[in-house]
Amino acid sequence: MMEASRVTEKGMAMPVYGLELTADEFDAIAWRFLGSEFAERTYADWPMDRRVDAYLLHHGLSDIVNDGSAYHALLERIMANIGAALR
């Protein structure tokens, strides 16, 4: 299994999740989701977690779906960027 990391003050990576994803990579995935068809009106009646699940599975990112900490971190990044994505 991959191991995620975050950058410390000294620029060194620390393990955070069971996946090898940095904070920047979580942001990139969040932005790709926000620009995807799963963030459009077509799926407006789906709950957010179902949309995110569908996006991740569609793009072969099931490891995130199966890692609760990584999934939560991704949802946080998506929610933090929704306003900016709408602009």
Coordinates of all heavy atoms in Angstrom, one line a residue:
M1 N 0.8 -1.2 0.0 CA 0.0 0.0 0.0 C 0.9 1.2 0.0 O 2.0 1.3 0.6 CB -0.9 0.0 1.2 CG -1.8 1.2 1.3 SD -3.0 1.1 2.6 CE -4.3 0.2 1.7
M2 N 0.4 2.3 -0.6 CA 1.2 3.5 -0.7 C 1.1 4.3 0.6 O 0.2 4.1 1.4 CB 0.7 4.4 -1.9 CG 0.8 3.7 -3.2 SD 0.2 4.7 -4.5 CE -1.6 4.8 -4.2
E3 N 1.9 5.3 0.8 CA 1.9 6.0 2.0 C 1.9 7.5 1.7 O 2.7 8.0 1.0 CB 3.2 5.7 2.8 CG 3.3 6.3 4.2 CD 4.5 5.7 4.9 OE1 4.7 4.5 4.9 OE2 5.2 6.6 5.5
A4 N 0.9 8.2 2.2 CA 0.8 9.7 2.0 C 1.7 10.4 2.9 O 2.2 9.9 3.9 CB -0.7 10.1 2.2
S5 N 2.0 11.6 2.6 CA 2.9 12.4 3.4 C 2.4 13.9 3.4 O 1.7 14.3 2.5 CB 4.3 12.3 2.9 OG 4.4 12.8 1.6
R6 N 2.9 14.6 4.4 CA 2.7 16.0 4.4 C 4.1 16.7 4.6 O 5.0 16.0 5.2 CB 1.7 16.5 5.4 CG 2.2 16.3 6.8 CD 1.1 16.7 7.8 NE 1.4 16.0 9.0 CZ 1.5 16.5 10.2 NH1 1.3 17.8 10.4 NH2 1.7 15.8 11.3
V7 N 4.2 17.9 4.2 CA 5.5 18.5 4.3 C 5.6 19.2 5.7 O 4.7 20.0 6.0 CB 5.8 19.5 3.2 CG1 7.1 20.3 3.3 CG2 5.7 18.8 1.8
T8 N 6.7 19.0 6.4 CA 6.9 19.6 7.7 C 7.5 21.0 7.4 O 7.8 21.4 6.3 CB 7.8 18.8 8.6 OG1 9.1 18.8 7.9 CG2 7.2 17.4 8.8
E9 N 7.7 21.8 8.5 CA 8.3 23.1 8.4 C 9.7 23.0 7.7 O 10.0 24.0 7.0 CB 8.4 23.7 9.8 CG 7.1 24.1 10.4 CD 7.3 24.6 11.8 OE1 8.3 25.3 12.1 OE2 6.4 24.3 12.7
K10 N 10.4 22.0 7.9 CA 11.7 21.9 7.3 C 11.7 21.3 5.9 O 12.7 21.0 5.4 CB 12.6 21.0 8.2 CG 12.8 21.7 9.6 CD 13.7 20.8 10.4 CE 13.9 21.5 11.8 NZ 14.8 20.8 12.7
G11 N 10.5 21.0 5.4 CA 10.4 20.5 4.0 C 10.5 19.0 3.9 O 10.5 18.5 2.8
M12 N 10.5 18.3 5.0 CA 10.6 16.9 4.9 C 9.2 16.3 5.0 O 8.3 16.8 5.6 CB 11.4 16.3 6.1 CG 12.9 16.9 6.1 SD 13.9 16.2 7.4 CE 14.0 14.5 6.8
A13 N 9.0 15.2 4.3 CA 7.7 14.6 4.3 C 7.5 13.7 5.5 O 8.4 13.0 5.9 CB 7.6 13.7 3.0
M14 N 6.3 13.7 6.0 CA 5.9 12.8 7.2 C 4.7 12.0 6.7 O 3.8 12.5 6.1 CB 5.5 13.7 8.4 CG 6.6 14.2 9.2 SD 6.0 15.2 10.6 CE 4.8 14.1 11.3
P15 N 4.7 10.7 7.1 CA 3.6 9.9 6.7 C 2.3 10.4 7.4 O 2.4 10.7 8.6 CB 4.0 8.5 7.3 CG 5.4 8.5 7.5 CD 5.8 10.0 7.7
V16 N 1.2 10.4 6.7 CA 0.0 10.9 7.3 C -1.1 9.8 7.0 O -1.9 9.5 7.9 CB -0.5 12.2 6.7 CG1 -1.8 12.6 7.3 CG2 0.6 13.3 7.0
Y17 N -1.2 9.3 5.8 CA -2.2 8.4 5.4 C -1.6 7.1 4.9 O -0.4 7.1 4.7 CB -3.1 9.0 4.3 CG -3.6 10.4 4.7 CD1 -3.2 11.5 4.1 CD2 -4.5 10.5 5.8 CE1 -3.6 12.8 4.4 CE2 -4.9 11.8 6.2 CZ -4.5 12.9 5.5 OH -4.9 14.1 5.9
G18 N -2.4 6.2 4.6 CA -1.9 4.9 4.0 C -1.6 5.0 2.5 O -1.3 4.0 1.9
L19 N -1.6 6.2 2.0 CA -1.3 6.4 0.5 C -0.2 7.3 0.3 O 0.1 8.2 1.2 CB -2.6 7.0 -0.2 CG -3.9 6.2 0.0 CD1 -5.0 6.9 -0.6 CD2 -3.8 4.8 -0.6
E20 N 0.5 7.3 -0.8 CA 1.6 8.2 -1.1 C 1.1 9.4 -1.8 O 1.4 9.6 -2.9 CB 2.7 7.4 -1.9 CG 3.4 6.4 -1.2 CD 4.5 5.8 -2.1 OE1 4.8 6.3 -3.1 OE2 5.0 4.7 -1.7
L21 N 0.4 10.2 -1.0 CA -0.1 11.5 -1.6 C 0.3 12.6 -0.7 O 0.1 12.6 0.5 CB -1.7 11.4 -1.7 CG -2.2 10.4 -2.7 CD1 -3.7 10.3 -2.6 CD2 -1.8 10.7 -4.1
T22 N 0.7 13.7 -1.4 CA 1.1 14.9 -0.6 C -0.2 15.8 -0.6 O -1.2 15.6 -1.2 CB 2.2 15.7 -1.4 OG1 1.7 16.1 -2.6 CG2 3.4 14.8 -1.5
A23 N -0.1 16.8 0.2 CA -1.2 17.8 0.3 C -1.5 18.4 -1.0 O -2.7 18.6 -1.4 CB -0.9 18.9 1.4
D24 N -0.5 18.7 -1.8 CA -0.6 19.2 -3.1 C -1.4 18.2 -4.0 O -2.2 18.6 -4.9 CB 0.7 19.6 -3.8 CG 1.3 20.9 -3.2 OD1 0.6 21.6 -2.5 OD2 2.5 21.1 -3.3
E25 N -1.1 17.0 -3.9 CA -1.8 16.0 -4.7 C -3.2 15.8 -4.3 O -4.1 15.7 -5.2 CB -1.0 14.6 -4.6 CG 0.3 14.6 -5.3 CD 1.1 13.4 -5.0 OE1 1.2 13.0 -3.8 OE2 1.7 12.9 -5.9
F26 N -3.5 16.0 -3.0 CA -4.9 16.0 -2.6 C -5.7 17.2 -3.2 O -6.8 17.1 -3.7 CB -5.1 16.0 -1.1 CG -5.0 14.6 -0.5 CD1 -3.9 14.2 0.2 CD2 -6.0 13.7 -0.6 CE1 -3.8 12.9 0.8 CE2 -6.0 12.5 0.0 CZ -4.8 12.1 0.7
D27 N -5.0 18.3 -3.2 CA -5.6 19.5 -3.8 C -5.8 19.3 -5.3 O -6.9 19.7 -5.8 CB -4.7 20.8 -3.6 CG -4.9 21.4 -2.2 OD1 -6.0 21.2 -1.6 OD2 -4.0 22.1 -1.8
A28 N -4.9 18.7 -5.9 CA -5.0 18.5 -7.4 C -6.2 17.5 -7.7 O -7.0 17.8 -8.6 CB -3.7 17.9 -8.0
I29 N -6.3 16.5 -6.9 CA -7.5 15.6 -7.1 C -8.8 16.3 -6.8 O -9.8 16.1 -7.5 CB -7.3 14.3 -6.2 CG1 -6.1 13.5 -6.6 CG2 -8.6 13.5 -6.2 CD1 -5.7 12.4 -5.6
A30 N -8.8 17.1 -5.7 CA -10.0 17.9 -5.4 C -10.4 18.8 -6.5 O -11.6 18.8 -6.9 CB -9.8 18.7 -4.1
W31 N -9.4 19.5 -7.1 CA -9.7 20.4 -8.2 C -10.2 19.6 -9.5 O -11.0 20.1 -10.2 CB -8.5 21.3 -8.5 CG -8.5 22.5 -7.6 CD1 -7.7 22.7 -6.5 CD2 -9.4 23.6 -7.7 NE1 -8.1 23.9 -5.9 CE2 -9.1 24.5 -6.7 CE3 -10.4 24.0 -8.6 CZ2 -9.7 25.7 -6.5 CZ3 -11.0 25.2 -8.4 CH2 -10.7 26.1 -7.3
R32 N -9.6 18.5 -9.7 CA -10.0 17.7 -10.9 C -11.5 17.2 -10.7 O -12.3 17.2 -11.6 CB -9.1 16.5 -11.1 CG -7.7 16.9 -11.7 CD -7.0 15.7 -12.3 NE -6.7 14.7 -11.3 CZ -5.6 14.6 -10.6 NH1 -4.6 15.5 -10.7 NH2 -5.4 13.6 -9.7
F33 N -11.8 16.8 -9.4 CA -13.2 16.5 -9.1 C -14.1 17.7 -9.4 O -15.1 17.5 -10.0 CB -13.3 16.0 -7.7 CG -14.8 15.9 -7.3 CD1 -15.6 14.9 -7.7 CD2 -15.4 16.9 -6.5 CE1 -16.9 14.8 -7.3 CE2 -16.7 16.9 -6.2 CZ -17.5 15.8 -6.6
L34 N -13.7 18.8 -8.9 CA -14.6 20.0 -9.0 C -14.7 20.4 -10.4 O -15.7 21.1 -10.8 CB -14.0 21.2 -8.2 CG -14.1 20.9 -6.6 CD1 -13.2 21.9 -5.9 CD2 -15.6 21.0 -6.2
G35 N -13.8 20.0 -11.3 CA -13.9 20.4 -12.7 C -14.6 19.2 -13.5 O -14.7 19.3 -14.8
S36 N -15.0 18.2 -12.9 CA -15.5 17.0 -13.5 C -17.0 17.0 -13.7 O -17.7 17.9 -13.1 CB -15.1 15.7 -12.8 OG -16.0 15.6 -11.6
E37 N -17.5 16.1 -14.5 CA -19.0 16.0 -14.7 C -19.7 15.7 -13.4 O -20.9 15.9 -13.2 CB -19.3 14.9 -15.7 CG -19.0 13.5 -15.3 CD -17.5 13.0 -15.6 OE1 -16.6 13.8 -15.8 OE2 -17.3 11.8 -15.6
F38 N -19.0 15.1 -12.4 CA -19.6 14.7 -11.1 C -19.9 15.9 -10.2 O -20.6 15.8 -9.3 CB -18.7 13.7 -10.4 CG -18.6 12.4 -11.1 CD1 -17.5 12.1 -11.9 CD2 -19.7 11.5 -11.1 CE1 -17.4 10.9 -12.5 CE2 -19.6 10.3 -11.8 CZ -18.4 10.0 -12.5
A39 N -19.3 17.1 -10.6 CA -19.6 18.3 -9.9 C -20.7 19.2 -10.6 O -21.0 20.2 -10.1 CB -18.3 19.1 -9.7
E40 N -21.2 18.7 -11.7 CA -22.1 19.4 -12.5 C -23.6 19.1 -12.1 O -23.8 18.2 -11.3 CB -21.9 19.1 -14.0 CG -20.6 19.6 -14.5 CD -20.3 19.3 -15.9 OE1 -21.1 18.7 -16.6 OE2 -19.2 19.7 -16.4
R41 N -24.5 19.8 -12.7 CA -25.9 19.7 -12.4 C -26.5 18.3 -12.6 O -27.4 17.9 -12.0 CB -26.7 20.7 -13.2 CG -26.5 22.1 -12.8 CD -27.4 23.0 -13.6 NE -27.0 24.4 -13.4 CZ -27.8 25.2 -12.7 NH1 -28.9 24.9 -12.2 NH2 -27.3 26.5 -12.5
T42 N -25.9 17.6 -13.5 CA -26.4 16.2 -13.9 C -26.4 15.3 -12.6 O -27.3 14.5 -12.4 CB -25.4 15.5 -14.9 OG1 -25.3 16.4 -16.0 CG2 -25.9 14.1 -15.2
Y43 N -25.5 15.5 -11.7 CA -25.4 14.8 -10.5 C -25.8 15.6 -9.2 O -25.6 15.2 -8.1 CB -24.0 14.2 -10.3 CG -23.6 13.3 -11.4 CD1 -22.9 13.8 -12.5 CD2 -23.9 12.0 -11.4 CE1 -22.5 12.9 -13.5 CE2 -23.6 11.1 -12.4 CZ -22.9 11.6 -13.5 OH -22.5 10.7 -14.5
A44 N -26.5 16.7 -9.4 CA -26.9 17.5 -8.3 C -27.8 16.9 -7.3 O -27.7 17.2 -6.1 CB -27.6 18.8 -8.8
D45 N -28.5 15.8 -7.6 CA -29.4 15.2 -6.7 C -28.6 14.0 -5.9 O -29.2 13.4 -5.0 CB -30.6 14.6 -7.3 CG -30.4 13.7 -8.5 OD1 -29.3 13.7 -9.0 OD2 -31.3 12.9 -8.8
W46 N -27.4 13.8 -6.2 CA -26.6 12.8 -5.5 C -25.9 13.5 -4.3 O -25.5 14.6 -4.4 CB -25.5 12.3 -6.4 CG -25.9 11.4 -7.5 CD1 -27.1 11.2 -8.1 CD2 -25.0 10.5 -8.2 NE1 -27.0 10.3 -9.1 CE2 -25.8 9.8 -9.2 CE3 -23.7 10.2 -8.1 CZ2 -25.3 8.9 -10.0 CZ3 -23.1 9.2 -9.0 CH2 -23.9 8.6 -9.9
P47 N -25.8 12.8 -3.2 CA -25.0 13.4 -2.1 C -23.6 13.5 -2.5 O -23.1 12.8 -3.3 CB -25.2 12.3 -1.0 CG -26.2 11.4 -1.4 CD -26.4 11.5 -2.9
M48 N -22.9 14.5 -1.8 CA -21.5 14.7 -2.2 C -20.6 13.5 -2.1 O -19.8 13.2 -3.0 CB -20.9 15.8 -1.3 CG -19.5 16.2 -1.6 SD -19.2 16.8 -3.2 CE -19.9 18.5 -3.0
D49 N -20.8 12.7 -1.0 CA -19.9 11.5 -0.9 C -20.1 10.5 -2.0 O -19.2 9.9 -2.5 CB -20.0 10.9 0.5 CG -21.4 10.4 0.8 OD1 -22.4 10.9 0.3 OD2 -21.5 9.5 1.6
R50 N -21.3 10.4 -2.5 CA -21.6 9.5 -3.6 C -21.0 10.0 -4.9 O -20.4 9.2 -5.7 CB -23.1 9.3 -3.8 CG -23.5 8.4 -4.9 CD -25.0 8.1 -5.0 NE -25.3 7.3 -6.1 CZ -26.5 7.2 -6.7 NH1 -27.5 7.9 -6.2 NH2 -26.7 6.5 -7.7
R51 N -21.0 11.3 -5.1 CA -20.3 11.9 -6.3 C -18.8 11.7 -6.2 O -18.2 11.3 -7.2 CB -20.6 13.4 -6.3 CG -22.0 13.8 -6.5 CD -21.9 15.3 -6.6 NE -23.2 16.0 -6.5 CZ -23.4 17.2 -6.9 NH1 -22.4 18.0 -7.3 NH2 -24.6 17.8 -6.8
V52 N -18.3 11.9 -5.0 CA -16.8 11.7 -4.9 C -16.4 10.3 -5.1 O -15.5 10.0 -5.8 CB -16.3 12.2 -3.5 CG1 -14.9 11.9 -3.3 CG2 -16.5 13.7 -3.4
D53 N -17.2 9.3 -4.5 CA -17.0 7.9 -4.7 C -17.0 7.6 -6.2 O -16.1 6.9 -6.7 CB -18.0 7.1 -4.0 CG -17.9 7.1 -2.5 OD1 -17.0 7.6 -2.0 OD2 -18.8 6.5 -1.9
A54 N -18.0 8.0 -6.9 CA -18.1 7.7 -8.3 C -17.0 8.3 -9.1 O -16.4 7.6 -10.0 CB -19.5 8.3 -8.9
Y55 N -16.5 9.5 -8.8 CA -15.4 10.1 -9.5 C -14.1 9.3 -9.2 O -13.4 8.9 -10.2 CB -15.2 11.5 -9.0 CG -13.9 12.1 -9.5 CD1 -13.9 12.7 -10.8 CD2 -12.7 12.1 -8.8 CE1 -12.7 13.2 -11.3 CE2 -11.5 12.6 -9.3 CZ -11.5 13.1 -10.6 OH -10.4 13.6 -11.1
L56 N -13.9 9.0 -8.0 CA -12.7 8.2 -7.6 C -12.6 6.8 -8.3 O -11.6 6.4 -8.8 CB -12.5 8.1 -6.1 CG -12.3 9.4 -5.4 CD1 -12.4 9.2 -3.9 CD2 -10.9 10.0 -5.7
L57 N -13.8 6.1 -8.2 CA -13.8 4.8 -8.9 C -13.7 4.9 -10.4 O -13.0 4.1 -11.0 CB -15.1 4.1 -8.5 CG -15.2 3.8 -7.0 CD1 -16.6 3.2 -6.6 CD2 -14.2 2.8 -6.5
H58 N -14.3 5.9 -11.0 CA -14.2 6.1 -12.4 C -12.8 6.4 -12.9 O -12.4 6.0 -14.0 CB -15.1 7.3 -12.8 CG -15.2 7.5 -14.3 ND1 -15.9 6.7 -15.2 CD2 -14.6 8.5 -15.0 CE1 -15.7 7.2 -16.4 NE2 -15.0 8.3 -16.3
H59 N -12.0 7.0 -12.0 CA -10.6 7.4 -12.4 C -9.6 6.4 -11.7 O -8.4 6.8 -11.7 CB -10.4 8.8 -12.0 CG -11.1 9.8 -12.8 ND1 -10.7 10.1 -14.1 CD2 -12.3 10.4 -12.6 CE1 -11.6 11.0 -14.6 NE2 -12.6 11.1 -13.8
G60 N -10.0 5.3 -11.3 CA -9.1 4.3 -10.8 C -8.4 4.7 -9.4 O -7.3 4.2 -9.2
L61 N -9.1 5.4 -8.6 CA -8.5 5.9 -7.4 C -9.2 5.2 -6.2 O -9.5 5.9 -5.1 CB -8.6 7.4 -7.3 CG -7.8 8.2 -8.3 CD1 -8.2 9.6 -8.3 CD2 -6.3 8.0 -8.2
S62 N -9.5 4.0 -6.3 CA -10.3 3.2 -5.3 C -9.5 3.2 -3.9 O -10.1 3.0 -2.9 CB -10.7 1.8 -5.7 OG -9.5 1.1 -6.0
D63 N -8.2 3.3 -4.0 CA -7.4 3.3 -2.7 C -7.8 4.4 -1.8 O -7.8 4.2 -0.6 CB -5.9 3.4 -3.0 CG -5.3 2.2 -3.6 OD1 -5.9 1.1 -3.6 OD2 -4.1 2.2 -4.0
I64 N -8.2 5.6 -2.4 CA -8.7 6.7 -1.6 C -10.0 6.4 -0.9 O -10.3 6.6 0.2 CB -8.7 8.0 -2.4 CG1 -7.3 8.4 -2.8 CG2 -9.4 9.1 -1.6 CD1 -7.2 9.6 -3.7
V65 N -10.9 5.7 -1.7 CA -12.2 5.3 -1.2 C -12.1 4.4 0.0 O -12.8 4.5 0.9 CB -13.1 4.7 -2.3 CG1 -14.4 4.2 -1.8 CG2 -13.3 5.6 -3.5
N66 N -11.1 3.5 -0.1 CA -10.9 2.5 0.9 C -10.0 3.0 2.1 O -9.8 2.2 3.1 CB -10.2 1.3 0.3 CG -11.1 0.6 -0.7 OD1 -12.4 0.6 -0.5 ND2 -10.6 0.1 -1.8
D67 N -9.5 4.2 2.1 CA -8.7 4.7 3.2 C -9.5 5.9 3.8 O -9.5 7.0 3.3 CB -7.3 5.2 2.7 CG -6.4 5.7 3.8 OD1 -6.9 6.4 4.7 OD2 -5.2 5.3 3.7
G68 N -10.1 5.6 5.0 CA -10.9 6.6 5.6 C -10.3 7.9 5.9 O -10.9 9.0 5.6
S69 N -9.0 7.9 6.3 CA -8.3 9.2 6.6 C -8.0 10.0 5.3 O -8.2 11.2 5.2 CB -7.0 8.9 7.3 OG -7.2 8.4 8.5
A70 N -7.6 9.3 4.3 CA -7.3 9.9 3.0 C -8.6 10.4 2.4 O -8.7 11.6 1.8 CB -6.7 8.9 2.0
Y71 N -9.7 9.7 2.5 CA -11.0 10.1 1.9 C -11.5 11.3 2.6 O -11.9 12.3 2.0 CB -12.0 8.9 2.1 CG -13.3 9.2 1.4 CD1 -13.4 8.9 0.0 CD2 -14.4 9.6 2.1 CE1 -14.6 9.1 -0.6 CE2 -15.6 9.8 1.4 CZ -15.7 9.6 0.1 OH -16.9 9.8 -0.6
H72 N -11.3 11.4 3.9 CA -11.8 12.5 4.7 C -10.9 13.8 4.3 O -11.5 14.9 4.2 CB -11.6 12.2 6.2 CG -12.0 13.4 7.1 ND1 -13.3 13.8 7.3 CD2 -11.2 14.3 7.8 CE1 -13.3 14.8 8.1 NE2 -12.1 15.1 8.4
A73 N -9.6 13.6 4.2 CA -8.7 14.7 3.8 C -9.2 15.2 2.4 O -9.2 16.4 2.2 CB -7.3 14.2 3.7
L74 N -9.5 14.3 1.5 CA -9.9 14.7 0.1 C -11.2 15.5 0.2 O -11.4 16.6 -0.4 CB -10.1 13.5 -0.8 CG -10.5 13.9 -2.2 CD1 -9.6 14.8 -2.9 CD2 -10.7 12.6 -3.0
L75 N -12.2 15.0 1.0 CA -13.5 15.7 1.1 C -13.2 17.1 1.7 O -13.9 18.1 1.3 CB -14.4 14.9 2.0 CG -15.2 13.8 1.4 CD1 -16.0 13.0 2.5 CD2 -16.0 14.2 0.2
E76 N -12.3 17.2 2.7 CA -12.0 18.6 3.2 C -11.5 19.5 2.2 O -11.8 20.7 2.1 CB -11.0 18.4 4.4 CG -11.6 17.9 5.7 CD -10.6 17.9 6.8 OE1 -9.4 18.0 6.5 OE2 -11.0 17.7 7.9
R77 N -10.6 19.0 1.3 CA -10.0 19.8 0.2 C -11.1 20.2 -0.8 O -11.1 21.3 -1.3 CB -8.9 19.1 -0.5 CG -7.7 18.8 0.4 CD -7.2 19.9 1.3 NE -7.0 21.1 0.6 CZ -7.3 22.4 1.1 NH1 -7.7 22.5 2.3 NH2 -7.1 23.4 0.4
I78 N -12.0 19.3 -1.1 CA -13.1 19.6 -2.0 C -14.0 20.7 -1.4 O -14.3 21.7 -2.1 CB -13.9 18.3 -2.3 CG1 -13.1 17.4 -3.2 CG2 -15.2 18.7 -3.0 CD1 -13.7 16.0 -3.4
M79 N -14.4 20.5 -0.2 CA -15.3 21.5 0.5 C -14.6 22.9 0.6 O -15.2 23.9 0.4 CB -15.7 21.0 1.8 CG -16.5 19.7 1.8 SD -17.9 19.7 0.6 CE -19.0 20.8 1.6
A80 N -13.3 22.9 0.9 CA -12.6 24.1 1.0 C -12.4 24.9 -0.3 O -12.3 26.1 -0.3 CB -11.2 23.8 1.6
N81 N -12.6 24.2 -1.4 CA -12.4 24.8 -2.7 C -13.7 25.0 -3.5 O -13.6 25.5 -4.6 CB -11.4 24.0 -3.5 CG -10.0 24.1 -3.0 OD1 -9.4 25.2 -2.9 ND2 -9.4 23.0 -2.6
I82 N -14.8 24.6 -3.0 CA -16.0 24.7 -3.7 C -16.3 26.2 -4.1 O -16.7 26.5 -5.3 CB -17.2 24.1 -3.0 CG1 -17.2 22.6 -3.1 CG2 -18.6 24.6 -3.5 CD1 -18.3 21.9 -2.3
G83 N -16.2 27.1 -3.2 CA -16.4 28.5 -3.5 C -15.6 29.0 -4.6 O -16.1 29.7 -5.5
A84 N -14.3 28.7 -4.5 CA -13.4 29.2 -5.6 C -13.7 28.5 -6.9 O -13.6 29.2 -8.0 CB -11.9 28.9 -5.2
A85 N -14.1 27.3 -6.9 CA -14.5 26.6 -8.2 C -15.7 27.2 -8.8 O -15.9 27.3 -10.0 CB -14.7 25.1 -7.9
L86 N -16.7 27.7 -8.0 CA -17.9 28.3 -8.5 C -17.6 29.6 -9.1 O -18.4 30.1 -10.0 CB -18.9 28.4 -7.4 CG -19.5 27.1 -6.9 CD1 -20.4 27.3 -5.7 CD2 -20.3 26.4 -8.1
R87 N -16.6 30.3 -8.7 CA -16.2 31.6 -9.3 C -15.6 31.4 -10.6 O -15.5 31.5 -11.6 CB -15.3 32.4 -8.4 CG -16.0 32.9 -7.1 CD -15.1 33.7 -6.2 NE -15.2 33.1 -4.9 CZ -14.3 32.7 -4.1 NH1 -13.0 32.9 -4.5 NH2 -14.5 32.2 -3.0

